Amino acid sequence: MAPQCYTGEVCEPVDYDYVIVGAGPAGLQMAYFLQKAGRQYVVYESQDKAAKFFEQHPRGRKLISLNKKNNLFKEETFNMRHDWNSLLSDDKEMKFTKYSDELYPDASDLHQYLNDYAHRFQLNVKYNTKVKKISKPDSTFTVCIEEADGETTSCRATCVLMATGAMSENLPEDIEGIELADTYSKHDMDKDLYKNKMMLIIGGGNSAFETANHFSGSAGIVHVAFNKRIQFAWNTHHVGDLRAVNNNIIDMYHLKSLHSTIGSLVTKIAKNEKGKFVVTFKDLNTQWKVPGWLLFDMEYDHVISCMGWRYVNTQLFDEETINVELVKNNRYPKLSNCWETDTKNLFYIGTAMAAIDRKSASGFIHGFRYNIRTLFNLLEQRLFKQSLPHITLPTKDLDTVSKKIIERCTISDSLYQMNGFMCDVMVFDEKTGVTKYYTDLPFRHVMEKPEFKDAKHVFTIHLTYGRDKFGTSTKSVDNVHAPDFTTNRCASFMHPYIEYYSHGEYVDQTELQESLIVRYDNWSSDKFPQWSSSANENYIKYYVNDKLNWTDEKFNLVPLPEEMIKKNFVPLTKEEMSRLPHLWENAECTQSQELLPKNPEPIRERKLRPTMKEIMDSAQRKELTYHMLTQLQV
């Protein structure tokens, strides 16, 4: 079946339905789905192997993608929640967990796995083939390539999928002399070269701190300079932010071990007559009595720029027929909510998908593997008129609805990894009485699709953190106590949200309580009876029925039985209540606070030296007093 144009007419003749540029993990994942569907496709890879990037990167060779093999439960999708490196397939043996036992595995193992994946499924990858130019003279693309023997040819395709990954290092153009610095990819890893030297690492992300950690035991002093507040993954829940496995330098700084972080702008790099690097900093100081910028120079033996990557090479595109706009300091392509550029049927897949996702894992394998599966299904609908994957639930059956939602929230890997970004969609048609349940759609794309936007009754189901309800005065690491089980509104950890839309308009939402392992089945009820699966099901039934009026049944919404309250809950005493700290922030929800001590140590009065202004003021007062006394005597 030939792909259909947007007008419904047959498109121009093509050699391929799809051309994929790049045989990294994203290109291989999409190739798997296309091959399984019997589509005509080709993957062009400029190197002699798949995923060549991982032969060198990360430079420290340890991945920050978890390889947690032992997870107590047997469901395959539940275990994929904690396998961050495997690609999706029907072959249960083709899992990365069989390649390494390390929690943070070696990048070489991932490189081997990805090449084995390509070979196992006999994916149509053309190695040593460079894409020179992509144009779109009509409704289809022309892709010009250079093969291994130097011969230049071209092919035509309906759809082009850019799976090129990290294209080049991000070198900030506003730093004068940045070309003098080494870079993350090219700096020498020999620790002896940096022994007892002064080093500056420019950057505030994982590559910068990975590099700083590597040299922390050999260099005399390591400074890490960045111009924005560090975002810690444990606080933001974003896997691309600074991970604890890389933040040893911060630990050393705050434990007085010479290495330190500098929150200043680097504005200039130069070399002096001694061959040293002279780096000019611009430091914002709003805490001074007169706020301003402090300019200062420091001398270093080595300077390494670790400012991340750029994910687009616009030179690949014919500028007259293809428009790819850049965003985020020209590092990412501008993408729609279904990862499409401004040129129809030109998509970016893989790490570049993070251009529209700062909540979940789109920049990593364990995130974009689901994005790619979803994009494949969307393209099947667009180009081949296939229905989006869904099941039809029994007519007006609240039991089935609640159990389906509980099942998805309990074992789904996609909703778990793509929290806050991907959702399930349930649509009820009043005329036919049919309830359809769709899985794994981009949350912001759902109401762009007519089948959902025009429907009267639409429910979205997704997993999301509830930190926004607790204000800004507490951090995620403070979330170490049980949530308030008497309500389903104040859960901080990731938990299910169910939202209701009518004719494309948001109406309201409900939530389920949080679970430490994000399971809502009977196992969780047995281990943590404070919030039973029946209570969760009742909340779902009540909420859905409130919108659809399927039954007159009443639902028990009391999560804690009275006998359990009497047995397991002890209210604070009056004395303990008096030691509750004052909360200055008026947020919807509050986290549990530590009680103030019964007999706090007295705070020692600090006797500070007077400031120059105070000394001058004092001297002036003395002189004035002396003058007044002498006048009185006269």
Side-chain angles (χ1 to χ4, degrees), residues 556-571:
N556 180 14
L557 301 181
V558 179
L560 290 175
E562 185 176 348
E563 61 272 14
M564 184 175 292
I565 295 177
K566 292 180 179 179
K567 178 181 178 182
N568 295 343
F569 184 76
V570 180

Side-chain angles (χ1 to χ4, degrees), residues 26 46 167 354 554 560:
S46 62
M167 296 294 292
K554 303 299 181 182
L560 290 175

Side-chain angles (χ1 to χ4, degrees), residues 132 165 203 259 284 296 322 584 634:
K132 305 296 289 184
H259 305 323
L284 177 62
F296 62 95
I322 290 181
W584 61 268
V634 172

Side-chain angles (χ1 to χ4, degrees), residues 591-609:
Q591 285 189 329
S592 182
Q593 306 292 314
E594 301 299 325
L595 296 180
L596 297 174
K598 291 183 178 180
N599 300 302
E601 294 183 10
I603 299 176
R604 182 170 61 90
E605 182 181 357
R606 300 178 65 190
K607 296 182 179 181
L608 302 178
R609 293 181 58 191

Side-chain angles (χ1 to χ4, degrees), residues 227-382:
N227 62 359
K228 292 182 179 179
R229 188 182 299 273
I230 294 176
Q231 299 296 318
F232 293 98
W234 49 259
N235 192 46
T236 65
H237 304 298
H238 180 60
V239 68
D241 287 334
L242 184 59
R243 304 285 296 284
V245 70
N246 280 332
N247 68 16
N248 187 50
I249 284 290
I250 296 176
D251 200 45
M252 296 182 73
Y253 169 42
H254 290 285
L255 294 176
K256 313 178 297 296
S257 299
L258 290 182
H259 305 323
S260 62
T261 56
I262 302 177
S264 307
L265 286 165
V266 174
T267 61
K268 183 179 179 180
I269 303 172
K271 273 196 170 183
N272 60 20
E273 65 280 359
K274 298 182 295 183
K276 304 280 189 179
F277 293 92
V278 178
V279 179
T280 301
F281 294 90
K282 185 178 180 181
D283 190 44
L284 177 62
N285 292 278
T286 60
Q287 80 280 18
W288 291 21
K289 289 189 175 180
V290 180
W293 296 92
L294 177 66
L295 306 178
F296 62 95
D297 290 345
M298 292 193 71
E299 187 179 275
Y300 296 95
D301 299 294
H302 300 276
V303 178
I304 304 174
S305 175
C306 301
M307 296 288 287
W309 302 94
R310 293 178 184 264
Y311 298 96
V312 183
N313 178 7
T314 55
Q315 294 180 351
L316 290 175
F317 305 113
D318 172 38
E319 61 182 14
E320 294 185 0
T321 59
I322 290 181
N323 180 31
V324 176
E325 189 177 336
L326 302 181
V327 295
K328 298 188 177 180
N329 296 320
N330 296 327
R331 295 179 59 198
Y332 288 90
K334 177 188 173 185
L335 300 178
S336 72
N337 290 327
C338 61
W339 308 287
E340 189 172 22
T341 67
D342 288 337
T343 300
K344 287 184 178 179
N345 285 341
L346 175 62
F347 297 82
Y348 267 85
I349 60 176
T351 51
M353 286 173 152
I356 59 170
D357 175 22
R358 279 288 301 176
K359 284 188 174 182
S360 56
S362 286
F364 287 70
I365 290 175
H366 66 288
F368 65 65
R369 63 191 179 195
Y370 304 110
N371 289 347
I372 291 170
R373 181 175 64 187
T374 294
L375 177 57
F376 163 76
N377 289 325
L378 291 173
L379 289 172
E380 284 287 288
Q381 182 190 42
R382 176 189 289 190

